[in-house]
């Protein structure tokens, strides 16, 4: 059995060790990794090794593993440089392993299952968030990018066809170029004169001078973004190449540029074919639903069910409120913590935002009736995923759900048409949903009412102006 790590780098070389047994739990993921590394290190003569971690049920071990799990989450976020919710790859493999250890330390099978379900729900929600981001990007490319690029590419093809035909028709048998209304049939003299014309070019980016014509195409000199000089040919379309120091070389570059116009035409035609193929593939991909939607939905239901069982486990039926009533009070308190200004009448609309999640909106929809919903856009339509409408009873400090909507699943029902058990399930989901919202860190982004208005940009602008004022005063 290996001794506990004391924060010192180990110099022990264990080439013949086939396994390690560790009974204690360290404070940092790095210490645990280091200790395991004494077996997994390069040079171990065994093809396979075993690492045993001992956990005692109904002890403090579960809490210690939970601390390790949280520490590893932060470390993984910092090491990847991204939020752990942006893509599935960011749910670190070691983090899930620590979570499994934590579950093993709990004796209640329901708690173990809840931990397993919570981990899987977290993973699938991360996948769904990434899928929604990709799906939105696909929709934007289908509706904007591909049509615009196809139109531009088609226009360039028509221009290059005209320019290629004009060049083939007017290309001289022997070299000749007209510069400033003077005809040159010697490349060297033409190059020297063209270089003299560069002196007339301004120094601002984009400054242009008309130099003459070659093979039916206009010759232009243009100042580039890095104060360099560009040699340009202009017909229906435009073509350019960097100018060089050699006078003769610049004429050669102009000739080669004109010769490449048919190649440019072929490139655009090939690009148009690729754009059409990508457009069709994107449409097919955009129509595919989230592949794990059904599994996620089932796990969310199981998560609510497990939460209810654990919340009311071991409690006398006569000495407690019904689960539904408890949820009604719990939801009331959470809603007031989240959006008290809405229920006090200060605002009638409040939008909350958090990176990687759909916008959250709470609004007044009638007398003492409210709506809470996640919104996203699909094919130009606002989709609710999900929405719950409810009434608020301030006297009893509880809420009553009225309806449930989930547009992407085609679900809508009113609670008056459901059984008591189904309404209790909905209230359990509502309670857990609010818990998730508060843990995910949603913050107020925009709100308004009859006599009040708030936007986060204005708040940020005012803070910035105040800071600038204080700096100027100092």
């Amino acid at each position: 059995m290996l001794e506990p790590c004391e924060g010192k780098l180990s110099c022990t070389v264990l080439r013949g060790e086939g396994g390690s047994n560790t009974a204690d739990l360290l404070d940092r993921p790095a210490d645990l990794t280091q200790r395991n590394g004494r077996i997994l290190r390069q040079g171990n003569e065994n093809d396979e090794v075993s690492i045993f971690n001992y956990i005692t049920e109904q002890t403090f071990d579960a809490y210690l593993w939970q601390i390790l799990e949280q520490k590893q989450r932060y470390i993984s976020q910092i090491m990847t440089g991204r939020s752990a919710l942006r893509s599935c790859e960011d749910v670190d493999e070691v983090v899930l392993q620590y979570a499994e250890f934590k579950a093993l330390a709990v004796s209640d099978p329901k708690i173990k299952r809840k931990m397993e379900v919570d981990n899987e729900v977290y993973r699938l929600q991360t996948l769904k968030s990434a899928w929604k981001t990709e799906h939105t990007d696909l929709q934007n490319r289908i509706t904007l990018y591909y049509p615009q690029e196809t139109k531009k590419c088609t226009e360039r093809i028509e221009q290059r066809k005209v320019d290629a035909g004009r060049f083939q028709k007017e290309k001289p048998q022997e070299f000749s170029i007209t510069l400033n209304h003077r005809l040159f049939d010697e490349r060297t003299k033409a190059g020297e004169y063209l270089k003299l014309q560069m002196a007339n070019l301004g120094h601002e980016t984009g400054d242009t001078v008309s130099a003459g014509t070659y093979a039916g195409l206009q010759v232009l000199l243009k100042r580039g973004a890095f104060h360099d000089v560009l040699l340009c040919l202009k017909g229906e379309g435009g073509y350019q190449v960097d100018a060089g120091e050699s006078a003769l070389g610049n004429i050669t570059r102009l000739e080669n540029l004109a010769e490449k116009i048919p190649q440019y035409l072929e490139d655009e035609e090939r690009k148009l074919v690729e754009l059409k193929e990508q457009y069709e593939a994107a449409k097919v991909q955009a129509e595919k639903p989230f592949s794990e939607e059904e599994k996620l939905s089932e796990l969310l239901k199981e998560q609510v069910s497990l939460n209810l069982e654990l919340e009311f486990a071991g409690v006398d039926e006569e000495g407690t409120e019904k689960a539904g009533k408890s949820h009604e009070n719990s939801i009331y308190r959470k809603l007031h913590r989240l959006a008290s200004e809405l229920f006090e009448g200060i605002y009638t609309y409040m939008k909350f935002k958090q990176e990687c999640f759909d916008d959250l909106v709470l609004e007044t929809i009638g007398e003492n009736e409210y709506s809470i919903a996640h919104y996203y856009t699909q094919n130009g339509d606002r989709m609710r995923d999900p929405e719950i409408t409810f009434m608020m009873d301030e006297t009893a400090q509880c809420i009553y759900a009225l309806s449930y909507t989930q547009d992407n699943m085609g679900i809508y029902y009113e609670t008056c048409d459901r059984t008591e058990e189904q309404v209790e399930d909905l209230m359990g989901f509502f309670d857990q949903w609010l818990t998730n919202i508060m843990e995910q860190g949603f913050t107020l982004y925009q709100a308004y009412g009859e006599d009040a208005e708030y936007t986060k940009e204005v708040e940020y602008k005012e803070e910035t102006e105040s800071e600038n004022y204080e700096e100027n005063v100092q």
Side-chain angles (χ1 to χ4, degrees):
M1 181 176 288
L2 296 181
E3 69 278 3
C5 172
E6 297 179 353
K8 299 178 182 179
L9 294 176
S10 172
C11 297
T12 309
V13 179
L14 303 175
R15 297 186 184 276
E17 291 296 321
S20 74
N21 295 265
T22 58
D24 66 317
L25 185 59
L26 305 175
D27 294 331
R28 298 175 298 181
D31 295 338
L32 191 61
T33 301
Q34 180 190 349
R35 184 161 63 183
N36 291 341
R38 301 176 70 185
I39 294 297
L40 299 173
R41 69 177 60 208
Q42 185 177 5
N44 194 318
E45 297 172 355
N46 295 286
D47 295 330
E48 295 183 0
V49 297
S50 301
I51 298 175
F52 299 93
N53 291 277
Y54 294 93
I55 305 169
T56 306
E57 291 186 346
Q58 297 181 345
T59 68
F60 206 55
D61 285 358
Y63 176 70
L64 295 177
W65 278 112
Q66 188 174 27
I67 292 175
L68 267 182
E69 176 193 3
Q70 190 65 27
K71 288 180 179 180
Q72 184 61 44
R73 285 192 191 279
Y74 293 140
I75 292 169
S76 299
Q77 290 181 30
I78 293 169
M79 295 300 290
T80 59
R82 303 189 300 274
S83 166
L85 290 174
R86 291 195 180 173
S87 65
C88 182
E89 288 73 19
D90 291 337
V91 182
D92 193 88
E93 185 175 324
V94 180
V95 172
L96 295 180
Q97 186 184 40
Y98 292 161
E100 290 163 4
F101 287 155
K102 180 180 69 176
L104 289 172
V106 183
S107 59
D108 189 340
K110 290 181 182 178
I111 297 178
K112 290 181 182 179
R113 179 56 184 164
K114 181 184 181 306
M115 291 178 179
E116 293 170 0
V117 170
D118 288 345
N119 286 334
E120 187 65 7
V121 166
Y122 178 84
R123 184 185 72 83
L124 292 177
Q125 285 179 334
T126 300
L127 277 173
K128 186 174 181 179
S129 178
W131 172 83
K132 283 183 177 179
T133 301
E134 294 172 2
H135 190 266
T136 301
D137 181 61
L138 269 179
Q139 291 292 344
N140 290 335
R141 293 178 74 84
I142 290 169
T143 56
L144 296 174
Y145 175 77
Y146 287 122
Q148 291 175 358
E149 287 300 308
T150 299
K151 181 180 178 181
K152 292 176 183 178
C153 191
T154 303
E155 291 174 353
R156 288 194 296 268
I157 287 173
E158 295 302 320
Q159 293 169 355
R160 278 152 176 65
K161 283 182 179 179
V162 173
D163 293 339
R166 181 181 299 167
F167 173 70
Q168 293 299 328
K169 181 179 179 181
E170 302 192 23
K171 178 182 178 182
Q173 296 293 329
E174 301 293 334
F175 171 78
S176 67
I177 187 172
T178 301
L179 299 175
N180 196 20
H181 305 293
R182 295 177 59 182
L183 181 65
F184 292 85
D185 55 8
E186 294 183 24
R187 290 182 174 84
T188 303
K189 292 183 178 180
E192 291 172 351
Y193 189 81
L194 185 64
K195 201 163 186 180
L196 290 174
Q197 286 184 296
M198 293 181 187
N200 300 324
L201 189 60
H203 297 285
E204 297 294 328
T205 299
D207 286 348
T208 305
V209 170
S210 178
T213 58
Y214 172 69
L217 302 170
Q218 187 179 4
V219 179
L220 302 174
L221 301 175
K222 185 177 179 180
R223 182 67 66 183
F226 301 100
H227 300 289
D228 51 339
V229 178
L230 302 175
L231 303 174
C232 307
L233 291 176
K234 181 73 170 64
E236 294 297 320
Y239 317 88
Q240 63 184 36
V241 67
D242 291 334
E245 294 296 325
S246 169
L248 179 59
N250 287 333
I251 296 299
T252 302
R253 292 186 183 198
L254 277 176
E255 290 183 278
N256 292 338
L257 184 61
E259 293 285 352
K260 288 182 179 178
I261 293 177
Q263 182 62 49
Y264 294 147
L265 172 60
E266 292 180 9
D267 292 342
E268 292 296 337
E269 289 174 338
R270 189 182 305 110
K271 183 178 179 181
L272 181 60
V273 172
E274 292 174 355
L275 280 171
K276 290 180 178 179
E277 291 176 350
Q278 293 170 5
Y279 175 69
E280 294 300 325
K283 286 199 298 183
V284 172
Q285 186 66 27
E287 292 174 357
K288 294 181 180 179
F290 177 54
S291 59
E292 303 280 359
E293 184 66 50
E294 185 176 348
K295 182 178 180 181
L296 176 59
S297 179
E298 291 175 356
L299 285 171
L300 285 171
K301 291 178 182 178
E302 184 179 359
Q303 187 181 55
V304 171
S305 177
L306 286 168
N307 288 337
L308 285 172
E309 291 178 17
L310 292 171
E311 183 176 354
F312 298 101
V315 180
D316 243 355
E317 292 184 2
E318 296 178 358
T320 59
E321 297 178 289
K322 289 184 178 179
K325 185 66 175 178
S326 176
H327 285 306
E328 291 168 2
N329 297 131
S330 174
I331 294 168
Y332 173 90
R333 292 191 296 272
K334 290 173 182 176
L335 285 170
H336 272 270
R337 286 200 298 270
L338 179 65
S340 59
E341 298 91 343
L342 187 76
F343 309 114
E344 293 169 1
I346 298 173
Y347 297 130
T348 57
Y349 174 93
M350 299 179 72
K351 178 190 286 188
F352 297 80
K353 283 183 175 288
Q354 173 61 0
E355 187 178 8
C356 300
F357 292 95
D358 294 331
D359 292 349
L360 178 71
V361 174
L362 283 89
E363 56 186 323
T364 304
I365 59 175
E367 186 176 353
N368 205 31
E369 293 185 12
Y370 306 91
S371 163
I372 178 172
H374 278 304
Y375 283 95
Y376 68 95
T377 303
Q378 179 174 305
N379 298 326
D381 296 326
R382 296 285 283 166
M383 307 290 285
R384 295 163 292 185
D385 183 22
E387 178 194 48
I388 295 178
T389 63
F390 58 92
M391 291 185 66
M392 182 76 69
D393 187 340
E394 295 290 351
T395 304
Q397 294 191 344
C398 62
I399 70 103
Y400 303 99
L402 300 175
S403 68
Y404 176 84
T405 304
Q406 191 169 2
D407 288 327
N408 60 341
M409 302 290 289
I411 298 173
Y412 171 79
Y413 62 81
E414 296 181 358
T415 54
C416 60
D417 299 326
R418 297 288 165 164
T419 65
E420 184 177 346
E421 290 182 355
Q422 290 172 328
V423 174
E424 286 182 4
D425 285 343
L426 174 61
M427 297 300 286
F429 166 77
F430 196 177
D431 200 357
Q432 182 62 44
W433 181 23
L434 286 173
T435 299
N436 294 343
I437 288 169
M438 300 177 79
E439 290 178 351
Q440 288 157 0
F442 276 84
T443 57
L444 183 60
Y445 176 78
Q446 182 182 18
Y448 57 79
E450 292 183 1
D451 302 314
E453 187 173 350
Y454 166 85
T455 56
K456 193 171 184 64
E457 289 94 337
V458 172
E459 179 187 70
Y460 174 77
K461 182 178 180 183
E462 290 175 351
E463 290 176 356
T464 305
E465 290 175 350
S466 176
E467 291 172 1
N468 293 338
Y469 174 76
E470 291 175 1
E471 290 176 1
N472 292 333
V473 170
Q474 292 172 359

